[in-house]
Amino acid sequence: MKRKSILILTALFAICSLTACSENESGNGNSSIISNNSNSGAADSPNDNSSSEDKSKDESSNPEEQPAEKTVGVYGETEIPDISCGDAKTEGKATINGENEALKASLDSMVFEKVTYGDYTVKLVGDKVRTDKANFPGSIYAQNLRVEVEKNGKNIEGSGKYSDTATYTSQYLTEYRLFEDKIGSYLDVYELEQPVIAMRYFYDDDAERTVTKTVEFAVIKDDKLYSDFSADSKAGTGVNINPDNSGEDLSKMLIVNTEDNTCRLSVFAADEFTLTDKTTLTDADAGIKYTFNFTDFPQAQLYSTEKIG
């Protein structure tokens, strides 16, 4: 009887050990970095015990159930599908509740810009890319506009996503709008105490707008990419959502801050910033200084902005 009990306990211990291993292998940890999934496909489950023969049978008998390989294009080399969505009121952008079927024909992903910095290649990437040449010539629409950083042929951990709140969320839109004549001007990398990536965004340059350009920043540290920062913005240097705008007029959605506060986006004007020192960038055209604090990195409030001159 005692021997039988020992055998049962041994078997239970073995089962618990296998279960714990399985759970540890399939977990993602507690990293605060946003995982990069632009080129991810459907991976085999670590708990999938089916044989290769069974998988082959499944794949051959149900080919329509297999995930299609994603197409990653390069701007200037890959043709972009021309799909009409949205209207003048939404600047041609698709709404959250509409055009879903039409957007399925968009290009899976596209690299719009590449900037080399030491061992890193910094890329501007968008998903579900399309144009609407008949109604909005010179515009390109994309979802999930972001920065990816590659080293030794592989993307490092993290993704610098462009702010979606100011871009479309408050208007129930799902796309960013890029301008063909601005491609090549969206990204810059600066050698501060940590490499800093300037992520620029452009809006229609019309008389009705008070904000036509915004910038936010991402940082490379220890082969990881950090983003989603805010700034301690002095009056006239930051960008807020206009509380008096109902969301019906996109041109009045953003305003320059009239008092000191915390902003996700900052004002800029120059095509390139000046590296003042290891913690400071200067926009001579806008008369703005961006001062970075890496002491307690990665704190949410990464930098401060103020007028100069």
Side-chain angles (χ1 to χ4, degrees):
M1 183 67 179
K2 183 176 181 180
R3 176 178 176 81
K4 185 176 182 181
S5 299
I6 292 172
L7 290 174
I8 293 172
L9 288 173
T10 303
L12 289 174
F13 178 80
I15 292 171
C16 291
S17 298
L18 288 173
T19 303
C21 288
S22 177
E23 290 174 351
N24 289 334
E25 289 173 359
S26 61
N28 292 321
N30 297 316
S31 173
S32 61
I33 305 300
I34 304 171
S35 296
N36 176 8
N37 58 9
S38 65
N39 296 320
S40 63
D44 292 338
S45 168
N47 296 320
D48 186 357
N49 296 318
S50 58
S51 66
S52 299
E53 184 179 350
D54 291 337
K55 288 181 181 179
S56 298
K57 289 179 181 179
D58 291 341
E59 290 174 1
S60 60
S61 60
N62 298 297
E64 71 280 359
E65 295 180 4
Q66 304 307 313
E69 184 177 349
K70 289 188 176 182
T71 301
V72 180
V74 177
Y75 181 75
E77 300 178 11
T78 307
E79 183 177 357
I80 301 175
D82 194 51
I83 303 168
S84 179
C85 286
D87 51 32
K89 183 178 178 180
T90 65
E91 299 176 345
K93 300 173 185 176
T95 63
I96 287 176
N97 297 321
E99 298 92 23
N100 290 332
E101 284 300 316
L103 292 176
K104 289 181 179 179
S106 302
L107 182 68
D108 291 330
S109 186
M110 172 163 278
V111 178
F112 291 100
E113 292 183 7
K114 284 187 178 182
V115 178
T116 301
Y117 174 81
D119 294 333
Y120 300 106
T121 299
V122 181
K123 301 172 289 185
L124 177 66
V125 183
D127 297 323
K128 305 301 293 182
V129 180
R130 67 176 181 89
T131 58
D132 185 355
K133 295 179 181 178
N135 300 302
F136 298 93
S139 295
I140 303 171
Y141 299 91
Q143 297 179 355
N144 303 322
L145 189 65
R146 65 191 180 280
V147 169
E148 294 179 357
V149 179
E150 183 180 282
K151 183 179 181 181
N152 298 327
K154 295 182 179 180
N155 284 341
I156 67 174
E157 186 178 1
S159 175
K161 185 178 180 182
Y162 273 63
S163 173
D164 54 9
T165 301
T167 304
Y168 57 70
T169 300
S170 58
Q171 274 70 44
Y172 303 103
L173 306 176
T174 67
E175 294 179 303
Y176 296 85
R177 183 186 186 188
L178 293 90
F179 296 95
E180 291 179 351
D181 62 353
K182 298 296 184 183
I183 302 295
S185 303
Y186 285 86
L187 298 182
D188 271 323
V189 186
Y190 297 93
E191 190 173 2
L192 301 176
E193 285 183 4
Q194 305 294 336
V196 170
I197 304 169
M199 303 160 59
R200 296 181 175 86
Y201 191 75
F202 302 89
Y203 301 85
D204 267 337
D205 190 4
D206 57 57
E208 297 296 320
R209 292 179 184 267
T210 57
V211 176
T212 59
K213 300 177 180 180
T214 61
V215 65
E216 53 193 308
F217 298 94
V219 178
I220 302 171
K221 180 177 172 59
D222 298 329
D223 287 346
K224 293 182 181 180
L225 178 62
Y226 296 81
S227 62
D228 198 25
F229 297 111
S230 61
D232 179 8
S233 305
K234 298 296 184 182
T237 65
V239 177
N240 291 324
I241 293 180
N242 185 357
D244 298 324
N245 182 34
S246 63
E248 295 296 315
D249 187 351
L250 296 188
S251 68
K252 295 179 174 60
M253 180 181 72
L254 300 179
I255 56 173
V256 178
N257 65 335
T258 56
E259 58 184 30
D260 300 353
N261 58 13
T262 300
C263 300
R264 277 292 309 275
L265 301 173
S266 299
V267 174
F268 87 93
D271 292 337
E272 293 184 4
F273 301 138
T274 301
L275 181 64
T276 306
D277 54 46
K278 286 296 184 178
T279 61
T280 308
L281 295 173
T282 301
D283 184 333
D285 293 354
I288 294 176
K289 179 172 68 172
Y290 313 86
T291 303
F292 295 82
N293 176 15
F294 300 106
T295 304
D296 300 318
F297 188 83
Q299 73 279 9
Q301 197 162 295
L302 172 70
Y303 67 107
S304 60
T305 56
E306 59 182 315
K307 287 281 190 179
I308 57 173

